[in-house]
Amino acid sequence: MAETKSPEFFMAACLLVVLGDGLAAAASRLSMTLGAFVAGLLLAETEYRREIEVTIEPFKGLLLGLYFVSVGAEINPALILSRPGLTLGFAAALIAVKGFILFGLAQAFRLPARASRPDRRTGRYRRPRRRGTRPGR
């Protein structure tokens, strides 16, 4: 007979995994935030995923806020303002690399060029149609 665990069990198990992974990341001189993120990915692939989601649902907003505040607290504005050219250069390089990767993927999957442009009226991206089919069929 399958035994159902209480929500408190899932909450405690999730917190133990997240804290353990965060501390392991900190012990290996990585960010605790990165460790907690990896723990979240690990928990998302378990058979208890639905129970974990239901248990954590009431705390979702609080946990997301805590995560983004902690990540934002690690940003060093003095470093960014001391080297604006370097910061803008990195941002432009990142956008360019992303564009090249997406262009290469679009070419590899033979997507038409119009699939990469948003519709002028709605602003939404169009889904490419299969060749030889008409809309509504």
Side-chain angles (χ1 to χ4, degrees), residues 31-49:
S31 166
M32 282 189 78
T33 308
L34 178 65
F37 177 74
V38 170
L41 292 176
L42 176 78
L43 290 172
E45 295 298 321
T46 65
E47 62 185 82
Y48 300 109
R49 177 182 179 189

Side-chain angles (χ1 to χ4, degrees), residues 47-116:
E47 62 185 82
Y48 300 109
R49 177 182 179 189
R50 300 290 175 217
E51 290 89 352
I52 294 169
E53 287 177 0
V54 169
T55 304
I56 293 180
E57 184 65 34
F59 306 101
K60 191 185 233 179
L62 178 66
L63 294 172
L64 278 172
L66 183 63
Y67 174 78
F68 286 118
V69 166
S70 67
V71 169
E74 292 180 9
I75 294 174
N76 186 354
L79 178 67
I80 293 171
L81 294 175
S82 69
R83 299 181 181 174
L86 183 65
T87 304
L88 292 175
F90 275 139
L94 183 65
I95 292 170
V97 167
K98 179 181 174 183
F100 285 126
I101 289 172
L102 290 176
F103 180 76
L105 287 172
Q107 293 296 315
F109 287 106
R110 296 183 181 146
L111 292 176
R114 67 186 183 101
S116 64

